[in-house]
Amino acid sequence: MPYVVTQSCCSDASCVFACPVNCIHPTPDEPDFATAEMLYVDPDACVDCGACTTACPVDAIVPHTKLTTAQQPFLQINADFYKSAENLSRPRPTLAPVTRAPEAARSRDRLPLRVAIVGSGPAAMYAADELLTQPDVRVNVFDRLPTPGGLVRAGVAPDHQRTKKVTDLFDVIADQGGFRYFLNVAVPADVSHDALLDYHHAVVYAVGAATDRRLGVPGEELPGCSSATDFVAWYNGHPDHASRTYDLSGSRAVIVGNGNVALDVARVLTSSADRLSGTDISTHALDTLRGSAIEEVVLVARRGFAQSAFTVPEFVGLLEVPDVDVLLDAPDGALDELSAAAQRDGTLDHQTTQKLRMLAALPSYADRVPGRRRIVLRYLAAPTAILGTSRVTGVALAANELRVEDGSVVVAPTGTEDVIDAGLVLTSIGYHGVALDGLPFDDARGVIPNAAGRVLDGVGGDVLTGKYVAGWIKRGPTGFIGTNKTCAQETIRALVEDYNAGRLAEPSRRGAEKAVRTAQPALVTRDGWNAIDRVERARGEAEFRPRVKVTDRAELLALARAD
Ligand code: NAP
């Protein structure tokens, strides 16, 4: 097998479009693309040309001869995808699918398309990229922080430096003529929605999901209990979270939920400080982790094995953390009847099959080695209370069982409960979007109501002219960095269609900068961000790290001004 897709796969499908023999699947036009945890190279069809490696923004595709020990499992994972009957019949045209960028009509009576994008994370940058495929289009990207990148800077785990390489692609996008950063500008606090529409034909909101879902059990407010999203923002040096403190003096931490964020946090809590010291983790977090007494991190899932929320590539990565054991603590019945039957019949989907295989191979919690750091996967347990008086001392867990009702798997409490001691409890049960003043909001889903990216005045309501959404604020907190590419493409297609149909009002012929500078004199432009970037990298070089993040907003602004 010549090339293999590995852990850092971001699923933006750049490789699919680069592959001349269409041997990477699922492709964006195949139904399982939306739910695929990664893409896979067909070992029999790959012609070893290497076009995919050049196209991949995160170095996820590796020749099989260059796989590291940690990457070896991906050889089998890629090959196994093509073993099932449905996958054997994947279409193999000579050319990979080509999606044409939408073409903005040009006319002497109208300004070329001008778009404001609010947010500067992956969804924003993929939207900008899609717009800038056309001549004369102008894209102004606004962010309330003085630094761009969204969750790539503040969310991706520090030990996932390959994933962060996607910022190289974003730099290439930002280097295109027609692109400008307007950083340290909050919308609508500094610049209103209407003001944006005065200077642009349209606004794309790509603001992500800035907060977390709440568990809703007693004790959640106790010191020592926090959301994983806050913890992630803290270790990643987000200026709004830099002043937090975490007490890691207890020997056990409990994380509620077992999605990829839970895995990220479990790795960071159990990794040696030496492993993390070569990353861009915030200095305050590194110092705290150096003094950590945590020996055991328990990931608590309310459902069973087959419903595990983590993805296969991330689980492979978890198993490879040096000097950390991954153990299983699960009651009988953690595999539901339906999944067990599908497993016996060989009809279980590829991803669940891989998860069950890897879980079955884990050592049991009963075999733990005292003194070694460990991550414990616990199943069929739901927190009913966070315990403690002045601070967290533990979690009460109700045992669950899986039942099949009307052909689907449901979870129900068995009536028994136990208590697990813990000095730190992190709830990792998903992000949640935050309403933007002046825009409609669907609170239940945490998204701005929309139809294929066009903002609606309410759920199922009418289109609000000139306003669009992309990324998590459009579809909810699901998918990977690259998922935002197809998401942004859909939005930009709708936007260009509206522009071409004359549905968007003509903006002022003047550029936005003067008005924005008046509203926010501390505006940070591309030059200002470059100045911050240079200082962070230089400080990093001195410490053999990719960068040392500046986490204080005033210092960030001073560095940007010094340019
Ligand atoms: P997630 O994947 O949606 O996982 C949420 C977890 O919380 C699930 O285990 C869920 O269990 C549990 N949960 C939800 N409500 C609960 C409740 N009331 N009580 C107990 N447990 C509850 O969310 P995430 O981990 O925050 O990740 C968000 C997205 O970012 C995902 O698409 C993820 O793949 C992506 N991400 C990717 C990477 C990467 O690729 N490296 C890294 C980080 C995040 P149920 O399934 O039972 O609801």
Side-chain angles (χ1 to χ4, degrees):
M1 171 192 254
Y3 282 88
V4 182
V5 183
T6 64
Q7 187 191 342
S8 53
C9 175
C10 72
S11 295
D12 86 349
S14 302
C15 55
V16 170
F17 299 106
C19 174
V21 292
N22 203 12
C23 78
I24 306 174
H25 291 267
T27 61
D29 52 350
E30 290 173 346
D32 50 346
F33 178 77
T35 51
E37 294 178 351
M38 59 179 284
L39 307 181
Y40 308 88
V41 172
D42 182 345
D44 297 329
C46 176
V47 291
D48 200 9
C49 70
C52 53
T53 45
T54 316
C56 176
V58 290
D59 286 354
I61 311 181
V62 182
H64 78 288
T65 48
K66 300 254 169 70
L67 289 168
T68 62
T69 315
Q71 291 170 329
Q72 283 295 335
F74 288 100
L75 194 61
Q76 196 62 42
I77 288 169
N78 277 244
D80 281 354
F81 179 76
Y82 293 94
K83 282 190 181 147
S84 74
E86 81 194 90
N87 290 338
L88 280 173
S89 63
R90 298 265 164 184
R92 301 251 184 276
T94 326
L95 288 173
V98 175
T99 45
R100 287 177 64 81
E103 227 169 276
R106 301 169 77 186
S107 141
R108 249 180 289 156
D109 307 329
R110 284 193 302 176
L111 283 172
L113 185 56
R114 280 188 190 169
V115 179
I117 300 180
V118 184
S120 64
M125 298 309 282
Y126 281 121
D129 194 28
E130 195 64 12
L131 286 161
L132 292 167
T133 53
Q134 332 210 14
D136 299 334
V137 173
R138 297 262 183 88
V139 177
N140 294 330
V141 168
F142 293 76
D143 200 297
R144 71 186 184 88
L145 290 181
T147 53
L151 276 189
V152 176
R153 183 175 164 101
V156 172
D159 59 344
H160 277 174
Q161 289 297 316
R162 271 177 192 244
T163 307
K164 287 180 191 243
K165 268 187 67 98
V166 76
T167 53
D168 294 349
L169 170 69
F170 298 164
D171 286 344
V172 171
I173 295 168
D175 279 341
Q176 296 181 68
F179 181 103
R180 297 182 83 175
Y181 272 134
F182 289 77
L183 305 173
N184 196 41
V185 180
V187 177
D190 296 329
V191 178
S192 69
H193 305 292
D194 287 348
L196 284 181
L197 279 178
D198 285 344
Y199 295 96
H200 305 90
H201 290 96
V203 185
V204 178
Y205 295 91
V207 294
T211 187
D212 51 275
R213 297 177 56 212
R214 309 301 295 163
L215 201 52
V217 300
E220 212 172 345
E221 278 71 47
L222 277 171
C225 178
S226 156
S227 74
T229 56
D230 285 349
F231 189 73
V232 167
W234 170 75
Y235 67 55
N236 273 324
H238 190 296
D240 294 352
H241 298 262
S243 60
R244 287 178 189 280
T245 52
Y246 288 91
D247 180 347
L248 308 183
S249 60
S251 63
R252 184 187 288 129
V254 167
I255 303 176
V256 181
N258 72 358
N260 283 341
V261 170
L263 263 52
D264 283 347
V265 172
R267 278 197 327 278
V268 168
L269 280 173
T270 51
S271 286
S272 69
D274 282 349
R275 177 171 182 262
L276 295 172
S277 65
T279 75
D280 65 350
I281 190 168
S282 66
T283 306
H284 54 249
L286 189 58
D287 291 345
T288 305
L289 286 161
R290 276 192 202 287
S292 168
I294 291 176
E295 184 173 296
E296 180 174 302
V297 175
V298 183
L299 267 61
V300 175
R302 59 181 171 178
R303 298 197 285 163
F305 296 154
Q307 294 81 32
S308 299
F310 55 74
T311 60
V312 170
E314 289 310 301
F315 195 59
V316 172
L318 188 79
L319 297 178
E320 297 304 332
V321 181
D323 301 319
V324 177
D325 298 330
V326 180
L327 307 170
L328 187 64
D329 182 11
D332 290 342
L335 181 61
D336 63 278
E337 291 165 34
L338 287 183
S339 305
Q343 192 182 29
R344 280 194 299 275
D345 302 345
T347 54
L348 205 59
D349 73 72
H350 169 72
Q351 291 167 168
T352 314
T353 304
Q354 298 288 344
K355 284 180 199 173
L356 296 183
R357 186 177 57 75
M358 289 191 289
L359 287 170
L362 290 183
S364 156
Y365 183 57
D367 299 328
R368 64 192 174 279
V369 179
R372 272 182 68 84
R373 287 194 172 180
R374 55 190 167 268
I375 295 168
V376 183
L377 300 182
R378 191 163 168 183
Y379 283 86
L380 292 179
T384 53
I386 312 297
L387 307 173
T389 44
S390 56
R391 59 166 294 111
V392 163
T393 55
V395 188
L397 293 172
N400 280 341
E401 62 185 8
L402 296 168
R403 291 185 194 150
V404 177
E405 279 178 17
D406 299 330
S408 48
V409 181
V410 296
V411 76
T414 62
T416 57
E417 207 169 285
D418 73 321
V419 167
I420 176 169
D421 295 339
L424 175 73
V425 176
L426 298 172
T427 56
S428 183
I429 62 170
Y431 285 80
H432 195 81
V434 175
L436 240 71
D437 276 349
L439 287 183
F441 193 63
D442 175 354
D443 200 33
R445 293 189 54 223
V447 300
I448 293 176
N450 70 92
R454 291 183 177 96
V455 173
L456 305 177
D457 61 5
V459 180
D462 296 326
V463 169
L464 286 177
T465 307
K467 293 179 174 140
Y468 301 83
V469 277
W472 279 6
I473 199 66
K474 169 187 173 186
R475 64 175 202 277
T478 58
F480 318 100
I481 288 173
T483 315
N484 293 298
K485 182 171 171 124
T486 33
C487 177
Q489 281 172 338
E490 180 188 59
T491 298
I492 300 308
R493 216 166 286 135
L495 188 158
V496 171
E497 207 177 285
D498 292 345
Y499 173 77
N500 289 349
R503 287 193 278 267
L504 304 180
E506 263 311 272
S508 156
R509 291 200 161 256
R510 286 171 293 131
E513 178 158 351
K514 198 167 165 216
V516 175
R517 235 179 233 291
T518 307
Q520 174 48 287
L523 164 72
V524 175
T525 60
R526 180 83 204 272
D527 288 345
W529 157 238
N530 284 345
I532 296 170
D533 189 40
R534 273 197 303 276
V535 169
E536 287 190 341
R537 286 179 195 271
R539 289 180 187 173
E541 219 172 294
E543 295 184 21
F544 303 101
R545 303 174 61 187
R547 68 173 65 233
V548 173
K549 282 183 186 164
V550 176
T551 62
D552 177 65
R553 195 183 264 266
E555 187 184 355
L556 285 166
L557 294 179
L559 291 173
R561 264 197 313 273
D563 182 66

